[in-house]
Amino acid sequence: MRKELVALREAMERYGIDIYLVPTGDFHGSEYLHDYFKTRRFVSGFTGSAGTLLVTKDEARLWTDGRYFIQAAMQLEGTGIDLMKDREPGVPSIKEYLEQAFDKISKEKLEDNEQEDSSESGPILGFDGRTLPYETGSEYEELISKYNGSVVSDLDLVGEIWSDRPELKGNKIWELPLSSTGLPHETKISQVRELMEKAGADYHLITTLDDNAWLFNLRGSDVERTPVFFSYTLITPDEVILYCFKDECPAEIIPEGVTVKNYFDSLDILSICMDIEKLPDGASLLMDGKSVPYAIMGAIPDGVNIILDDVIPTSKLKACKNPVEIESTKAAHINDGIAMVNFIYWLKTSIEKEGNAGEAFRVGAPTSDPMTEIGASDYIEKQRASLPGYLDLSFDTISGYMEHGAIVHYGATPETNAKLRPVGFLLVDSGGQYEAGTTDITRTIALGPLTDRMKECYTTVLKGHADLAMAKFSDGTTGIELDKIAKAPLNAYGISYNHGTGHGVGHVLCVHEGPQRINTISEESIIPGMITSNEPGYYPEGEFGIRIENEILCVKCDDQDGSYCFENLTCCPYERDAVIKDMLTDDEIRYIDDYHAWVFDSLKENLKPEVRDWLETVCKPL
């Protein structure tokens, strides 16, 4: 059992907490976190980007989604924490588990007190209300009230036991040029005010980091791999207030007409809470209920009318890229394609020279050896870093050879780092942050001979990828409907994948951006200007992993019927050596040939002769 779990239980006992919830979150509802906020990881040892830990006096359970089932099972072994495979048949949801736990604890306390009407007989649920979204916290509060229980939301118990916790501080904030953003902040604020008026709001609190960065055309590096900075924005009838680490915001980049205040006040209390408490009676305050912290909601005066919207004005506006953003991100993807092609060429030619096809698959190879998972990851990072306008990776590179590729969000470590051999698949999911845009691409690369089954599975995944890329659809089509298109060929072959088919992508912002998604539950319509990923896959555990991912832009089709279709942004060839042509339809073959012709034409002038010759070969018509 992990010592951190033991320490947390001891802290729970000191405060009389029956159940303590440790979410994956920060003060802004972010997906990717500053190290200060990685409390769930500290207690559990599970390093995935999504998960919720619940701890009672005798149980500990961690819920995560299908991307992390294999990884979580490995990392939780021997920790005293049970894995809960979210949304799998027979697995209770967090809410269902809490309901059972509340009922059990309530009965136990009643028996101990020997008085059924005791006001102290209910369970007590604790969490740090600054890191739990209001909608989630209020749902749990309503649930526990049915069992005469209560919520304690001002306890950061993990913080109490984390002696060497990283410091929470800001880094320098900088301005993204209009050549990338396309619109000045004044125009964006006017657009937001128009949508506020339609929503009946005279005040608007923006809690999400990417929305704040987008609104002011500012960027930072407070969160690794994501160019955002810790901030809140309060738009009032008379002013716009930006709360950030003020010392990190140079005076010359402070947007005109914007008041800047410190993120924390002198008592290390979020300054936004101090101002929210002063809102006048009758004011209407618009917020995102899925990201606003439970604690901030507690600071709002009773006389304020609260308007909760899952898609706030900035999210609606930034989801549809303007013409300048689109042209800018197209240039970023061409540059990124150069890095990817150079990487794949290096990988294939270097692995051929290894001559170690008979060497057994193993882990723990020296990190100095370039022909390893980490070596491949380092090489693609260096290729991107050499490009103009490069800022950072857009997420930690996933480089998984053979069975490691079946771990959807695998992260190689010196302990697991596998030696690459000239046989089988290497799955590489990577991306870059550039001043011109954000990229995200996955390629499954053949390092040598493949089995017939590998080729059949790869071609099937490619069929789903191609069918979605070729989709033509009407206004109002949702992510649910598009998800079915990508999965149809896989389902027909008897395989599938346990993750979404597509996520939105920000512009020099979060690599995962809403509100648009392509999955089994997203009812958000996909409309022109939205950028999503297209990434079906297949992951037979213990064998290999396949994922093919492009970023795609929704556009109006050239015909006159008003329909929509997709335009590829990602510029990199598919794995020709894994394709079985006879499994493809004529339309799919035509799509692949046209795509490869575009890739070669777009990249050929920027490659060394030997790389250009290789690319020309792999881009020839099927």
Side-chain angles (χ1 to χ4, degrees):
M1 182 176 294
R2 286 179 64 85
K3 65 181 187 299
E4 293 84 359
L5 180 59
V6 174
L8 179 58
R9 284 197 171 113
E10 291 173 350
M12 290 167 58
E13 186 174 1
R14 288 196 300 271
Y15 287 95
I17 302 297
D18 297 304
I19 304 177
Y20 195 74
L21 184 148
V22 187
T24 301
D26 59 7
F27 300 160
H28 305 273
S30 305
E31 177 184 10
Y32 293 109
L33 306 178
H34 184 280
D35 286 347
Y36 175 88
F37 293 105
K38 294 178 180 178
T39 51
R40 185 221 67 223
R41 176 175 179 170
F42 171 77
V43 177
S44 69
F46 168 58
T47 60
S49 68
T52 300
L53 174 66
L54 278 177
V55 179
T56 72
K57 65 179 181 180
D58 50 18
E59 287 186 342
R61 302 194 178 197
L62 186 143
W63 279 257
T64 192
D65 61 59
R67 296 172 296 171
Y68 296 110
F69 289 168
I70 299 175
Q71 176 182 340
M74 295 167 55
Q75 293 182 331
L76 294 179
E77 186 175 357
T79 62
I81 301 170
D82 295 325
L83 170 62
M84 306 296 283
K85 297 182 177 181
D86 201 18
R87 297 183 182 177
E88 288 293 288
V91 177
S93 65
I94 295 175
K95 185 177 179 181
E96 290 169 339
Y97 174 81
L98 281 174
E99 194 163 15
Q100 296 168 7
F102 292 159
D103 183 57
K104 177 183 177 182
I105 294 169
S106 180
K107 289 177 179 177
E108 289 175 350
K109 287 191 173 185
L110 283 171
E111 292 175 0
D112 291 342
N113 292 333
E114 296 182 349
Q115 48 181 346
E116 294 189 7
D117 61 345
S118 170
S119 61
E120 299 179 357
S121 63
I124 299 176
L125 172 68
F127 54 81
D128 182 354
R130 300 171 301 171
T131 62
L132 190 69
Y134 166 72
E135 284 192 358
T136 305
S138 60
E139 184 179 18
Y140 297 158
E141 182 180 25
E142 181 181 356
L143 181 63
I144 201 170
S145 67
K146 298 177 182 178
Y147 299 90
N148 199 29
S150 59
V151 161
V152 178
S153 61
D154 59 351
L155 288 178
D156 179 12
L157 295 187
V158 179
E160 290 194 15
I161 65 173
W162 195 351
S163 59
D164 58 347
R165 187 175 192 173
E167 182 183 1
L168 178 60
K169 60 180 181 179
N171 297 312
K172 283 295 181 186
I173 301 170
W174 51 279
E175 187 175 19
L176 194 63
L178 278 175
S179 59
S180 180
T181 67
L183 292 175
H185 76 276
E186 296 93 341
T187 300
K188 294 181 177 182
I189 291 171
S190 294
Q191 293 174 335
V192 170
R193 286 195 183 278
E194 289 177 7
L195 293 176
M196 286 172 59
E197 185 176 356
K198 290 181 180 180
D202 42 17
Y203 290 80
H204 181 22
L205 172 61
I206 304 174
T207 52
T208 40
L209 301 182
D210 55 330
D211 287 278
N212 289 318
W214 175 88
L215 181 63
F216 300 111
N217 292 335
L218 299 177
R219 298 295 188 268
S221 58
D222 290 353
V223 178
E224 190 176 21
R225 312 304 193 197
T226 307
V228 295
F229 53 97
F230 291 120
S231 54
Y232 293 99
T233 299
L234 182 62
I235 301 178
T236 79
D238 305 313
E239 63 180 333
V240 177
I241 307 170
L242 170 63
Y243 302 81
C244 62
F245 284 93
K246 192 173 180 180
D247 291 343
E248 302 298 339
C249 190
E252 62 269 19
I253 70 165
I254 295 176
E256 185 176 353
V258 176
T259 301
V260 177
K261 292 188 177 183
N262 272 322
Y263 188 76
F264 287 118
D265 74 358
S266 58
L267 300 176
D268 278 351
I269 298 173
L270 289 171
S271 298
I272 185 64
C273 291
M274 310 297 287
D275 286 352
I276 288 290
E277 290 175 348
K278 302 173 186 176
L279 292 183
D281 284 351
S284 295
L285 175 63
L286 173 64
M287 296 177 295
D288 175 5
K290 290 188 179 299
S291 69
V292 62
Y294 184 88
I296 286 182
M297 290 293 290
I300 301 172
D302 292 338
V304 173
N305 176 37
I306 298 172
I307 304 172
L308 296 179
D309 193 339
D310 290 345
V311 186
I312 58 174
T314 46
S315 293
K316 293 176 182 177
L317 294 167
K318 72 179 171 62
C320 294
K321 277 53 179 178
N322 64 53
V324 172
E325 288 176 318
I326 290 171
E327 290 307 308
S328 181
T329 201
K330 284 182 178 180
H333 280 83
I334 295 300
N335 261 346
D336 202 67
I338 295 170
M340 282 297 301
V341 166
N342 283 330
F343 163 68
I344 296 173
Y345 173 79
W346 166 82
L347 186 67
K348 284 179 172 286
T349 54
S350 297
I351 201 72
E352 288 174 359
K353 298 175 184 177
E354 284 287 286
N356 58 355
E359 184 181 335
F361 175 85
R362 63 186 177 88
V363 299
T367 57
S368 61
D369 187 338
M371 302 317 296
T372 64
E373 293 170 332
I374 291 178
S377 177
D378 289 345
Y379 193 91
I380 184 58
E381 182 174 1
K382 289 178 182 177
Q383 288 297 308
R384 287 195 166 97
S386 69
L387 296 171
Y390 173 81
L391 302 173
D392 195 359
L393 299 179
S394 55
F395 55 96
D396 289 337
T397 299
I398 298 167
S399 174
Y401 179 58
M402 292 301 284
E403 66 187 56
H404 287 167
I407 304 172
V408 179
H409 275 203
Y410 170 73
T413 67
E415 294 73 32
T416 67
N417 188 25
K419 173 77 175 178
L420 306 183
R421 299 187 295 118
V423 62
F425 279 137
L426 174 69
L427 187 155
V428 179
D429 188 347
S430 65
Q433 296 282 8
Y434 304 92
E435 191 175 279
T438 300
T439 68
D440 183 5
I441 173 176
T442 307
R443 286 296 183 263
T444 304
I445 305 161
L447 300 185
L450 306 173
T451 66
D452 289 344
R453 179 166 174 265
M454 287 179 180
K455 293 180 180 180
E456 290 169 0
C457 292
Y458 182 93
T459 306
T460 303
V461 172
L462 180 59
K463 286 170 68 70
H465 172 92
D467 290 356
L468 178 58
M470 293 187 293
K472 182 177 178 181
F473 51 99
S474 60
D475 185 34
T477 300
T478 68
I480 296 174
E481 296 165 281
L482 293 171
D483 185 74
K484 294 176 182 177
I485 294 174
K487 286 180 176 171
L490 286 85
N491 292 338
Y493 188 69
I495 62 177
S496 191
Y497 49 96
N498 199 358
H499 60 72
T501 297
H503 56 80
V505 182
H507 183 72
V508 201
L509 281 172
C510 300
V511 73
H512 292 166
E513 176 183 276
Q516 73 273 25
R517 298 283 192 276
I518 300 176
N519 58 26
T520 59
I521 59 175
S522 177
E523 297 181 352
E524 189 73 29
S525 297
I526 305 297
I527 59 177
M530 286 183 171
I531 295 175
T532 60
S533 64
N534 170 8
E535 50 180 310
Y538 178 55
Y539 315 91
E541 185 173 350
E543 298 183 51
F544 56 85
I546 297 169
R547 184 161 64 252
I548 305 171
E549 177 186 17
N550 281 4
E551 283 186 33
I552 50 178
L553 170 70
C554 180
V555 297
K556 291 183 178 179
C557 299
D558 292 334
D559 50 38
Q560 301 299 313
D561 63 2
S563 57
Y564 303 154
C565 50
F566 290 117
E567 177 183 342
N568 273 305
L569 298 176
T570 301
C571 190
C572 181
Y574 302 123
E575 181 47 80
R576 189 183 188 92
D577 291 339
V579 174
I580 300 176
K581 182 178 177 181
D582 290 345
M583 291 178 61
L584 301 170
T585 66
D586 290 344
D587 286 341
E588 290 163 350
I589 292 172
R590 189 177 305 111
Y591 162 79
I592 294 169
D593 287 346
D594 288 347
Y595 177 74
H596 278 162
W598 171 71
V599 167
F600 179 69
D601 187 60
S602 299
L603 302 181
K604 62 184 180 182
E605 301 300 327
N606 296 291
L607 300 172
K608 293 180 179 179
E610 62 271 21
V611 182
R612 183 174 62 247
D613 291 345
W614 170 82
L615 182 63
E616 184 175 19
T617 298
V618 300
C619 286
K620 286 181 178 179
L622 290 176

